[in-house]
Amino acid sequence: MHIEEISDEVAERLKLAKAESDKAEAQERGESTDSQDAPKTATAAMFPELSPGRVMTNKKTVDEVAAELKKTPFFMTELEENDDTEAFKALAYEGTPFEVASDFKDHGNECFREKRWADAKEFYTKGILVLAAEERKRAKGEPNPEETEEDVKGQRSVLESLYVNRAACHLELKNYRSCWLDCAAALRLDDKNLKAYYRSAKAFLAVGRIEEADDACARGLALDQNNNPLKTVAREIIKKSEEIAAKQKKENERLLREKRREMLVRAALKARDIKTRTTAQPPEMEDAKLQLVPDPDDPRSTLSFPTVLLYPAHLESDFIKAFNETDTLADHLSYVFPLPWDKAGEYTLAGVECYMETLSGGLIKVGKKVPLLKMLSSGNVEVVDEVVRFFVLPKAKAAEWVQEFKTKKAAEKGGG
């Protein structure tokens, strides 16, 4: 029977069903069917009949129509286990697992040749899913009774190729971990697959895992010592290994140099009788640090300190990256002043007084022309977290601030 004949038959049935329905409704209303024949004929002549699809949905609610549509695969929003869905899914895989997987492999190879790595990977993945499912069935003791030993061997050969081909895609896409995992899966099927050794070696090398790369390469070369791709990777591994060794050597030398410099600084501080203390949370100073200058490796060099100038009367501050032990406060204040925020002009070299905090928590007034070394080696002050701190105040406000400072310290000691 042709499609046209089916459509005609459905249409006729629908016409009969509609006529019987109209007749029943007329009888319920108590009307004579004969009296309605003429109007019906006139109506039919004036308006075309509904299409079969419209007739089937006529007198149905929206929910009923939606339920009917959902039974059609094209309109499905949820998978249902029925004949329609099973038939629809079967359309995707026509042929034996070997044929289906081989077809996916061919499509993947075509994409790979065109450098469409992501598309190729998807095709290889589909093929792997098909054959991996067959492998799981055999592992559970549920083999296909129609498969021969040669069929199984052929499937595993294709599965092995799919794994190494997908590994090649991962390598191009820089999915290195996925690459060596696929190579491992291929090697479980055939431990003599040279491509798997080559690609896993490349992936390990790309992430700097030299030992694993060297092992994979060595295993491959043990099977074929004349394999050019593997020999090329072996040279790359040697080169990378030498680079890493050189880098590590340089880093070790840097660490030793830094350690020696720290020892020289500690020795210089001790020789000068400069007291220091480190807190639990030292400040971040980027590249500023306590060091010997101009040559940090020469113990005859002078000490240079990061220094903070605090202006407590105005809650401001300045940072001096390198305050040499031979420098005086005047040397630095001469270029720091005038201060941009000092609108009243209170901060001048002659108009300020400078203080440092003592070991006991008090204050000591320091001369602006006294070298830093003399201040620090006096035994009354300490360098905290490698930073020297000075309090700078206008002379007119110095006495009041000193008193406030002492009162606050006394309160802290009393509270403690």
Side-chain angles (χ1 to χ4, degrees), residues 13 47 68 129 222 227 257 262 272 274 280 288 366 376 389 414:
R13 290 180 180 176
F47 299 100
E68 289 292 329
L129 291 174
N227 185 281
R257 186 167 58 253
E262 289 175 5
R272 290 160 173 78
I274 297 175
V366 294
L376 297 180
R389 293 172 175 82

Side-chain angles (χ1 to χ4, degrees), residues 220-387:
L221 287 172
L223 296 172
D224 181 4
Q225 60 181 356
N226 295 318
N227 185 281
N228 287 327
L230 283 170
K231 287 167 70 175
T232 300
V233 175
R235 288 192 292 270
E236 292 175 359
I237 291 172
I238 293 171
K239 182 180 178 182
K240 187 70 173 179
S241 181
E242 291 174 347
E243 290 175 356
I244 291 175
K247 185 177 180 181
Q248 187 61 49
K249 181 182 178 182
K250 188 176 181 180
E251 177 64 14
N252 291 338
E253 290 174 351
R254 186 191 68 80
L255 292 174
L256 286 172
R257 186 167 58 253
E258 289 296 323
K259 186 175 181 180
R260 182 176 180 276
R261 288 175 178 177
E262 289 175 5
M263 292 175 63
L264 287 174
V265 168
R266 286 198 298 270
L269 290 169
K270 186 176 181 180
R272 290 160 173 78
D273 196 24
I274 297 175
K275 294 178 173 55
T276 61
R277 177 166 59 90
T278 303
T279 64
Q281 294 182 326
E284 291 288 339
M285 296 187 293
E286 297 182 353
D287 59 338
K289 62 180 179 179
L290 170 57
Q291 60 184 337
L292 288 167
V293 294
D295 185 358
D297 297 309
D298 187 353
R300 294 171 297 179
S301 296
T302 56
L303 286 170
S304 176
F305 297 81
T307 301
V308 175
L309 301 178
L310 299 167
Y311 310 106
H314 291 81
L315 301 178
E316 296 285 352
S317 65
D318 278 316
F319 181 71
I320 299 172
K321 186 176 179 180
F323 196 129
N324 196 278
E325 64 183 1
T326 61
D327 295 342
T328 66
L329 268 169
D331 293 332
H332 293 279
L333 291 178
S334 62
Y335 67 79
V336 171
F337 293 161
L339 299 171
W341 44 264
D342 180 23
K343 305 302 182 183
E346 297 178 275
Y347 291 84
T348 63
L349 191 57
V352 296
E353 292 181 355
C354 303
Y355 298 85
M356 293 183 75
E357 187 172 356
T358 65
L359 288 168
S360 59
L363 289 171
I364 182 172
K365 185 177 179 180
V366 294
K368 295 187 286 292
K369 295 183 179 181
V370 177
L372 179 63
L373 177 58
K374 187 175 182 179
M375 301 179 199
L376 297 180
S377 59
S378 65
N380 294 327
V381 298
E382 64 180 351
V383 178
V384 181
D385 293 328
E386 300 187 353
V387 180

Side-chain angles (χ1 to χ4, degrees), residues 142-163:
E142 303 171 358
N144 187 341
E146 297 181 2
E147 288 180 344
T148 64
E149 186 176 339
E150 286 298 317
D151 292 335
V152 174
K153 186 178 179 181
Q155 286 186 19
R156 287 177 175 168
S157 177
V158 173
L159 181 58
E160 177 190 347
S161 296
L162 286 165
Y163 275 126

Side-chain angles (χ1 to χ4, degrees), residues 14 35 45 55 70 75 87 102 108 130 136 171 189 244 255 257 306 316 324 333 338 412:
L14 289 172
S35 61
V55 171
K70 285 183 179 180
F75 294 99
S102 296
V130 172
R136 285 194 294 273
L171 195 60
L189 294 167
I244 291 175
L255 292 174
R257 186 167 58 253
E316 296 285 352
N324 196 278
L333 291 178
E412 290 176 358

